[in-house]
Amino acid sequence: MFAPVIEPPYYAVIFSSHRTPDDNNYGATAIRMEELASTMPGYLGVESARGEDGFGITVSYWKDEASIRNWKAQLEHRGAQERGKREWYTRYINRIAKVERAYSGPAGRM
Amino acid sequence: MFAPVIEPPYYAVIFSSHRTPDDNNYGATAIRMEELASTMPGYLGVESARGEDGFGITVSYWKDEASIRNWKAQLEHRGAQERGKREWYTRYINRIAKVERAYSGPAGRM
């Protein structure tokens, strides 16, 4: 689902990934990580989509770079990152970006 | 699929959308727009995923803001944008962001 449309500037972590075929507890962990992220300082929301080909994009939104570093270092999240590298992803790219402009539609713009 | 991992800084256009149920020529137009975008100056790549719930994320990557403005104003693309508002999307959010850092895995980092 959509993350809230808030006034820039803020930060986006664009995580693109291709999943391995087996679940290996991925689904439950993804739900848990979303819950956990939402309790972190500076968290602004998350959007996620994955197609049947296994390619997916998750974008999480954060107040600033310090919030992103803090989330990356969170202990339970670090465990999930390690499992991701070993078991869940054939490949991933992570990009940290500063959102400068945003608008929504079709009914009106922010 | 993955866009090339290149050295930041560059720009990302994060387009989140929820599709209407009918195709209405969306599929063919999406393929055509991806082809057309790839011929534009400053185009660096695109990544796209949509789940069965109709929610999708397309991130296109560009050299700079001028490339993004130029693509937004492209005539055939403007036609597609108008159809998108009328027929293809129940809602969308578009965010323009400057990519500051990027890394990939699991096998080595850029």
Side-chain angles (χ1 to χ4, degrees):
Chain A
M1 282 318 308
F2 291 99
V5 181
I6 62 169
E7 191 67 37
Y10 53 91
Y11 274 80
V13 177
I14 307 165
F15 181 74
S16 309
S17 66
H18 184 262
R19 282 275 287 115
T20 50
D22 298 326
D23 184 68
N24 286 328
N25 211 40
Y26 169 80
T29 309
I31 291 168
R32 168 65 185 151
M33 286 304 117
E34 220 174 291
E35 278 175 13
L36 189 59
S38 73
T39 69
M40 298 295 288
Y43 173 85
L44 301 176
V46 68
E47 297 174 345
S48 199
R50 188 174 303 280
E52 288 177 12
D53 59 357
F55 184 79
I57 302 173
T58 296
V59 190
S60 60
Y61 299 99
W62 301 88
K63 182 170 179 286
D64 50 29
E65 288 197 276
S67 317
I68 294 169
R69 278 195 299 271
N70 187 44
W71 167 234
K72 191 181 182 189
Q74 201 279 344
L75 203 65
E76 191 178 338
H77 184 210
R78 284 178 66 118
Q81 290 169 54
E82 287 309 311
R83 284 199 69 182
K85 289 180 192 178
R86 283 200 316 268
E87 299 177 62
W88 296 327
Y89 303 119
T90 61
R91 192 180 170 213
Y92 62 81
I93 303 176
N94 207 29
R95 296 175 175 92
I96 291 84
K98 185 179 188 177
V99 179
E100 297 181 348
R101 294 186 286 127
Y103 57 89
S104 64
R109 293 177 173 240
M110 65 171 283
Chain B
M1 281 319 306
F2 292 98
V5 181
I6 62 168
E7 192 66 37
Y10 54 92
Y11 274 80
V13 178
I14 307 165
F15 181 74
S16 308
S17 65
H18 184 261
R19 281 275 287 114
T20 51
D22 297 327
D23 185 67
N24 286 325
N25 212 41
Y26 168 80
T29 309
I31 290 167
R32 168 66 185 147
M33 285 304 117
E34 219 173 292
E35 278 176 12
L36 189 59
S38 73
T39 68
M40 299 293 288
Y43 173 85
L44 300 176
V46 69
E47 296 174 346
S48 199
R50 188 173 302 279
E52 287 178 13
D53 60 356
F55 184 79
I57 302 173
T58 296
V59 189
S60 59
Y61 299 98
W62 301 88
K63 183 170 180 284
D64 50 29
E65 289 197 278
S67 317
I68 294 170
R69 279 194 297 273
N70 187 44
W71 168 234
K72 192 182 181 187
Q74 201 279 345
L75 203 64
E76 191 178 339
H77 185 211
R78 285 177 66 117
Q81 290 169 55
E82 288 308 313
R83 285 199 69 183
K85 290 180 190 177
R86 283 200 317 270
E87 298 177 62
W88 295 328
Y89 303 119
T90 61
R91 192 179 171 214
Y92 62 82
I93 304 176
N94 208 29
R95 297 175 175 94
I96 291 84
K98 184 179 188 176
V99 179
E100 298 180 348
R101 295 185 285 128
Y103 57 88
S104 65
R109 295 177 171 239
M110 68 172 283

